[in-house]
Amino acid sequence: MISADMEGATGVTWTDDVVPGTEQWQRFRRLFTGDVNAVIAGLADGGATDILVNEAHSSQRNVLLEDLDPRAHMLTGRHKPLSMMEGIDTGVDGVVFLGYHAGAGCDGVLSHTYLPNQITGVWLDGVPASEGRLNAALAAEYGVPVLLVSGDDKTCDDAHDYAPDAEVVAVKQCVSRYAAVCLPPSRTAADLTAAATTSMRHAGRGNPTTTAHHIDVEFDASHLAQAAAVIPTVEQTGVRTVGFDADTMTDAMKAFKIVTAIADGAVQGKYG
């Protein structure tokens, strides 16, 4: 399975590159699809016989189906119970985090966790958590190893901590939130294919790990924490923070989705 996000794709450096409907987005859809196809080729070379691409960015309608490598099939569109990780519970033998990015409050190109800028920090069981860390914990619940992570160099540094056995590919070097030293698609494609092929040596389901978890979320404004705290089981723990417990990571991620949706709905124009 490939969980395909877009902020960490080849060449992406700023907002318009990933916002559906912009001219830049149309351009980077092609580069994004190229990254996906490069990984599909590598997984197939490594022995994969059934490859699911789960679109994981924004509208989740970004990869160009007409250009997709025919050795894969694609899950596209919203809304999905497990969002970025829909399909992880279908018996897959490994997951690739393609086009990922650093977490909220961290240095990295377009770094964030679920919401573009309203969240300033997320912690999973007390540890700062990117989308990658959250999704890796969910994969572990189904015994699925993280095979490969791609994005900028900050994303790869993060992955070394939460998925130490995974292959990593830095398609760009972070200069700032909106700037990076980028490799051209011909080079990133070769790197992604080679890493995906190598990563297949780690494929194969292990023992599922189901444990209770605690998630804390820090927002950039107090009214967002107040809005999220109306959700049963979610407690406002500070002026701008909420926290909640869940018996499983699946439940934790579903609750996190609700928290972010409620907070996003409470944002009002330029004042947030």
Side-chain angles (χ1 to χ4, degrees):
M1 170 178 157
I2 300 171
S3 172
D5 206 357
M6 196 171 182
E7 288 89 355
T10 294
V12 167
T13 58
W14 77 306
T15 307
D16 279 8
D17 295 345
V18 296
V19 173
T22 67
E23 182 179 350
Q24 282 293 99
W25 171 71
Q26 291 289 8
R27 174 193 174 200
F28 280 98
R29 292 179 76 189
R30 294 193 296 272
L31 273 68
F32 181 33
T33 304
D35 282 3
V36 171
N37 282 338
V39 170
I40 293 170
L43 295 176
D45 288 347
T49 57
D50 186 10
I51 302 169
L52 171 66
V53 178
N54 177 22
E55 282 219 46
H57 173 70
S58 186
S59 64
Q60 299 174 6
R61 293 179 173 89
N62 307 280
V63 173
L64 296 170
L65 180 61
E66 59 270 32
D67 294 336
L68 189 70
D69 188 313
R71 289 172 289 187
H73 48 289
M74 184 167 71
L75 172 57
T76 184
R78 303 172 71 188
H79 294 274
K80 299 173 286 196
L82 295 180
S83 190
M84 300 179 76
M85 294 294 281
E86 187 68 25
I88 199 69
D89 57 346
T90 61
V92 297
D93 293 311
V95 61
V96 172
F97 295 165
L98 182 147
Y100 272 44
H101 48 81
C106 297
D107 192 21
V109 176
L110 295 175
S111 59
H112 68 283
T113 304
Y114 268 62
L115 299 185
N117 55 26
Q118 293 87 9
I119 291 176
T120 55
V122 176
W123 292 263
L124 175 63
D125 301 324
V127 179
S130 61
E131 292 170 10
R133 183 178 293 277
L134 295 172
N135 291 342
L138 183 57
E141 189 157 280
Y142 295 93
V144 179
V146 179
L147 303 179
L148 166 65
V149 180
S150 75
D152 69 2
D153 56 317
K154 305 298 184 182
T155 305
C156 294
D157 291 343
D158 183 38
H160 283 308
D161 189 52
Y162 68 74
D165 294 330
E167 300 295 315
V168 297
V169 176
V171 300
K172 54 199 168 193
Q173 300 292 316
C174 174
V175 173
S176 71
R177 182 169 177 80
Y178 301 118
V181 177
C182 298
L183 295 173
S186 59
R187 289 185 58 183
T188 59
D191 291 344
L192 288 167
T193 297
T197 302
T198 301
S199 77
M200 280 296 293
R201 65 187 179 186
H202 298 300
R205 271 168 288 162
N207 295 322
T209 304
T210 302
T211 59
H213 294 279
H214 180 84
I215 292 181
D216 293 296
V217 183
E218 179 184 73
F219 297 100
D220 66 357
S222 60
H223 70 286
L224 303 184
Q226 293 163 6
V230 304
I231 303 166
T233 75
V234 176
E235 178 185 0
Q236 186 167 357
T237 55
V239 175
R240 295 183 292 109
T241 58
V242 298
F244 60 90
D245 295 300
D247 291 337
T248 68
M249 195 61 200
T250 299
D251 288 344
M253 287 304 296
K254 290 179 177 179
F256 183 63
K257 279 184 60 181
I258 298 169
V259 167
T260 57
I262 292 290
D264 191 40
V267 173
Q268 298 291 320
K270 290 186 177 180
Y271 282 87

